[in-house]
């Protein structure tokens, strides 16, 4: 097929010059989102790292959900687990340590048609990024956050993390950690997250179910996924891994009402390994929906002005 531009090129070409190469045929648009289409670089994690299973299950869940490939965005901060976007053939952003959530919030609010996923470790999420976690939760920003909790800083080679237990010996605590660890479920409940669940990287069926439920939740959903750092804290959670002799106790939702915040707080009191499953899930308007309503209401009050003009007018009143 000749386009206007290549016709012009041909007309102006030197007769002796070789004919321009035919454009490469466009790649056919894949009609199915497959693991192959989602796979980018081979992961650089240590052999045996729990994060491999998280990645594989995430591929599997996306294959099942069949979202448009171009609408998937993966965001992360810094850490071994935060290398996740490199291994996903989707839009991806590897951002500053602890700052993945504010960036992902901007993406989610400006493009509500996108499926936004955030990945990271316990250090990235609960330590340097802890403040952002609280605010994304209370605002109920529409996105899914998967925290690979290994109770240690892996990338920087074994420092105490906010989830390390008292007594854990690390490079920052050679005689044993003395600080009380944070309790992820309790912290997320107190912050106002509308979906929180726990799972384990060695329990792939359970992990798959938790990811799928979190992704389908309309609001801020978080899955804390225990993911072993075989290099710097191997067997951190043997108690929760049956193949290592532990007990993987799941939440029976016939006995636990996931909309009962007090019951969820109580369940979160169980120390490690605790229970696995959905602790809490409620529906509350997302920041995305509230912001859109505000924009629509303001626009209708302002005789159909464009959002840019509305913003300009607002800024003028603030001067
Ligand atoms: C501002 C800043 N402070 C500190 C660091 C060093 N740093 C990089 S990753 C990391 C913690 C990683 O631990 P975690 O988030 O638990 O992820 P993991 O590597 O265990 O998956 C730290 C402290 C940094 N990159 N930037
Ligand atoms: S250091 Fe730990 S967390 Fe990092 S890749 Fe290796 S096993 Fe995984």
């Amino acid at each position: 097929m000749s386009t206007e531009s290549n016709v012009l090129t041909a007309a102006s070409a030197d007769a002796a010059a070789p004919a321009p190469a035919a454009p490469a045929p466009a790649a056919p648009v894949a009609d199915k989102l497959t693991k192959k289409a989602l796979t980018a670089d081979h992961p650089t994690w240590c052999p045996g790292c729990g994060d491999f299973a998280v990645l594989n299950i995430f591929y599997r869940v996306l294959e099942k959900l069949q979202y448009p490939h171009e609408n998937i965005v993966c965001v992360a901060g810094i850490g071994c687990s935060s290398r996740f976007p490199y291994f996903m053939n989707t839009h991806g952003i590897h951002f500053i340590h602890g700052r993945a959530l504010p960036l992902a919030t901007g993406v989610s609010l400006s493009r509500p048609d996108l499926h936004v996923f955030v990945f990271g470790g316990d250090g990235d999420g609960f330590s340097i990024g802890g403040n952002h976690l609280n605010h994304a939760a209370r605002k109920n920003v529409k996105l899914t956050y998967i925290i690979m909790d290994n109770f240690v800083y892996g990338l920087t080679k074994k420092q105490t993390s906010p989830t390390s237990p008292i007594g854990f010996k690390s490079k920052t605590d050679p005689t044993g950690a003395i600080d009380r660890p944070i309790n992820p479920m309790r912290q997320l409940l107190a912050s106002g997250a509308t979906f929180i669940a726990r799972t384990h990287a060695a329990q792939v069926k359970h992990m798959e179910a938790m990811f799928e439920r979190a992704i389908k939740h309309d609001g801020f959903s978080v899955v804390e996924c225990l993911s072993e750092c075989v290099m710097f804290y191997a067997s951190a959670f043997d108690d929760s891994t049956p193949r290592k002799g532990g007990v993987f106790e799941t939440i029976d939702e016939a006995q636990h009402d996931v909309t009962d915040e007090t019951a969820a707080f109580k369940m979160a009191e169980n120390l490690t390994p605790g229970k696995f499953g959905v602790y809490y899930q409620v529906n509350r308007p997302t920041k995305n929906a509230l912001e859109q309503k505000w924009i629509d209401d303001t626009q209708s009050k302002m005789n159909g002005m464009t959002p840019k003009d509305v913003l300009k007018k607002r800024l003028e009143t603030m001067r």
Side-chain angles (χ1 to χ4, degrees):
M1 187 181 79
S2 82
T3 63
E4 201 180 344
S5 63
N6 66 25
V7 169
L8 278 175
T9 308
S12 57
D14 184 330
V29 177
D31 54 1
K32 205 163 183 319
L33 187 58
T34 58
K35 178 178 172 180
K36 191 167 171 230
L38 287 164
T39 304
D41 279 0
H42 181 72
T44 46
W45 295 311
C46 309
C49 176
D51 296 352
F52 281 101
V54 181
L55 180 67
N56 269 309
I57 293 303
F58 189 64
Y59 287 145
R60 194 186 290 174
V61 173
L62 285 190
E63 270 187 321
K64 196 165 170 187
L65 296 174
Q66 288 295 313
Y67 291 145
H69 199 166
E70 66 278 16
N71 285 7
I72 301 168
V73 187
C74 296
V75 185
I78 304 292
C80 293
S81 39
S82 290
R83 295 193 66 79
F84 215 96
Y86 286 107
F87 316 135
M88 295 296 308
N89 184 22
T90 62
H91 297 297
I93 313 170
H94 190 211
F95 201 48
I96 309 166
H97 190 29
R99 302 298 182 270
L101 276 178
L103 180 73
T105 297
V107 175
S108 171
L109 292 179
S110 57
R111 286 287 305 273
D113 56 318
L114 301 180
H115 299 281
V116 182
F117 302 100
V118 179
F119 302 91
D122 36 297
D124 196 73
F126 295 119
S127 187
I128 190 168
N131 194 27
H132 297 297
L133 181 54
N134 291 338
H135 293 289
R138 85 181 165 85
K139 291 174 184 179
N140 199 24
V141 180
K142 174 135 183 53
L143 58 86
T144 294
Y145 186 17
I146 293 171
I147 303 178
M148 283 155 267
D149 189 355
N150 54 15
F151 296 6
V152 67
Y153 288 180
L155 185 78
T156 47
K157 301 190 167 84
K158 199 176 186 175
Q159 289 87 29
T160 301
S161 106
T163 51
S164 304
I166 290 174
F168 173 61
K169 290 191 177 149
S170 71
K171 286 179 187 155
T172 41
D173 282 301
T175 55
I178 53 172
D179 297 326
R180 178 190 157 113
I182 69 126
N183 178 323
M185 292 294 108
R186 277 215 300 223
Q187 174 159 336
L188 287 161
L189 276 168
S191 306
T194 52
F195 180 102
I196 57 168
R198 288 183 82 219
T199 189
H200 194 302
Q203 304 291 329
V204 291
K205 281 264 161 242
H206 189 266
M207 181 165 46
E208 185 178 342
M210 293 302 107
F211 286 5
E212 200 177 334
R213 278 178 71 175
I215 293 169
K216 287 180 175 166
H217 175 70
D218 186 23
F220 187 68
S221 54
V222 187
V223 182
E224 181 206 9
C225 182
L226 301 190
S227 176
E228 191 173 61
C229 172
V230 288
M231 198 53 109
F232 299 114
Y233 200 171
S235 304
F237 6 86
D238 280 359
D239 297 356
S240 52
T241 320
R243 69 179 156 77
K244 291 186 177 174
V247 176
F248 183 75
E249 197 183 344
T250 54
I251 294 169
D252 174 3
E253 287 184 32
Q255 306 292 325
H256 172 64
D257 173 6
V258 294
T259 65
D260 184 340
E261 195 177 356
T262 311
F265 265 113
K266 217 166 162 39
M267 190 169 278
E269 278 168 15
N270 293 315
L271 295 173
T272 308
K275 289 203 178 187
F276 295 86
V278 177
Y279 277 60
Y280 188 62
Q281 178 169 21
V282 285
N283 289 319
R284 204 177 75 222
T286 59
K287 182 170 173 71
N288 305 55
L290 292 172
E291 234 183 48
Q292 191 55 53
K293 185 174 179 321
W294 181 84
I295 291 168
D296 294 345
D297 289 353
T298 312
Q299 248 185 303
S300 73
K301 270 189 232 146
M302 298 208 167
N303 302 326
M305 280 168 81
T306 64
K308 198 171 159 198
D309 288 339
V310 170
L311 188 64
K312 249 166 95 182
K313 217 171 162 60
R314 285 266 154 191
L315 291 175
E316 274 160 22
T317 62
M318 287 162 71
R319 283 221 178 97

